[in-house]
Amino acid sequence: MPQKKSVPRPAPRTGQKSRFKVAGGSKNIYDINAYRRRKQMQKLSRRLAAMAAALTVVAAAFAGLYFYQNYDLNNLAETARAGGTRLETGGGFPISMDGVNPSGLRRVGDCVALLTSEETVFFKDTSALHSFTHQFTNPVTRTAAGRLLSYDRGGYGFRIDSEKGLHYSARTESTILTGAISRKLGYALALSEVRYAASVAVYDRGNKELLHWYSVSDSVIDMDFSYDGNRLAAAAIGFENGDLVGKVYILNLGGGEETVYSFPGVLPLAVDYKRNGSIHLICDTVVGVISPKGELSQVPLAGPLSDYYFTDNATVMLASESGDISFSLIQVDDDGQSQSVQVRGSSLDVVADGESIYVLEKNSVQRFDRSLELLEQQAVGSDVFAIESSGRGAYLLSANYLDRWTYSP
């Protein structure tokens, strides 16, 4: 059978399009110019995709750096993971501390914050409203206007919380020495410095820096805001002619130079602004008092200071006198007037509210009025080591439980 020969189709002339017939008309099957355009577009698309990926990586790096500098990511992550506290609450007092290592209590507005080695829990009655894992090595807390400032002394992380949750969390570039939170303003942090003894940074509630003050030679150990939020008292350890001096710097947040007050020969421990504008500086042997007019006075302590508690118009302290046999309960009013009473036993903790002073001893809680008159005594377990005021009564904390004692009016 004869073979059918295929006749080669003539090549198209330059610039002519090759066509073949299809149902309904003709269609291009090859166009060198269109091919080149497609290749160029594909090349351009790959370059744009590579540039977009690079920009994404750079943006992520900058975002990571920003969040590292301005937020404590570990705290944020732990807060996000912690759907609730491990404590079993809601069943009334006492609340079991099984699996928890409690360290103390802090009054925060209408709530009380339970502090543990890993966690902070906000309580109201028996309900846990908010909790977070702090991961601080040396946790310190300050309270004002229902907010809790927590920071790591000697570390970099800090955060502000309330019963409603986390307000702000960040990290500092230098280590934190001490901190304070304002009733009306924001917060302040004292930081270590390379060329200075310390610095103080003050922020508003929007975390905007209002003031950055540097201390040339005096180490800042404690701070407190005035009630109107216009001033900050910074207690510092200084030396003059080789002698120890306790100092209080008053920083005017509205502008103007600071004022400094000195108490020679004492070691400052804590400072507190009172509602009337006076300042109490607790030292190792005295309480220094600065009146609203800037007049200085001192109240000597009866013995080594074992504990103290600040209220808006007084400072309450415990001073040991005869080891475990007796101690002094001391109250210094905002005008510098003091009174004291000797109590038999061994003191562990003291707190106060507008009506009462509660003193924790080895096996009991004693309730005094603000004139230091003993009103009643309540037996407690020997393992209770901390108390905090609770309306008409006090919270009692041991290694095994959190309880509450209330009294009848």
Side-chain angles (χ1 to χ4, degrees), residues 365-383:
V365 173
Q366 295 187 22
R367 183 171 74 91
F368 297 81
D369 63 17
R370 296 303 295 268
S371 298
L372 303 189
E373 180 82 20
L374 179 62
L375 300 177
E376 60 182 309
Q377 183 169 330
Q378 173 72 29
V380 299
S382 60
D383 56 346

Side-chain angles (χ1 to χ4, degrees), residues 251-331:
L251 307 183
N252 188 346
L253 304 182
E257 296 183 358
E258 74 274 4
T259 305
V260 59
Y261 298 94
S262 298
F263 295 88
V266 297
L267 178 66
L269 303 174
V271 67
D272 186 66
Y273 246 116
K274 302 306 179 185
R275 185 182 294 275
N276 72 343
S278 63
I279 298 172
H280 284 188
L281 177 67
I282 294 183
C283 303
D284 55 343
T285 58
V286 303
V287 176
V289 180
I290 306 173
S291 74
K293 296 181 179 181
E295 300 167 340
L296 305 185
S297 61
Q298 297 184 24
V299 178
L301 298 178
L305 187 69
S306 60
D307 199 12
Y308 62 88
Y309 194 90
F310 293 127
T311 70
D312 60 357
N313 60 2
T315 297
V316 180
M317 295 163 288
L318 300 176
S320 301
E321 290 186 356
S322 304
D324 293 338
I325 300 176
S326 66
F327 61 92
S328 290
L329 172 61
I330 307 167
Q331 180 176 249

Side-chain angles (χ1 to χ4, degrees), residues 85-106:
T85 175
R86 292 175 296 175
L87 301 178
E88 296 181 4
T89 62
F93 288 103
I95 298 173
S96 174
M97 295 285 112
D98 290 344
V100 179
N101 184 20
S103 59
L105 299 169
R106 290 301 300 269

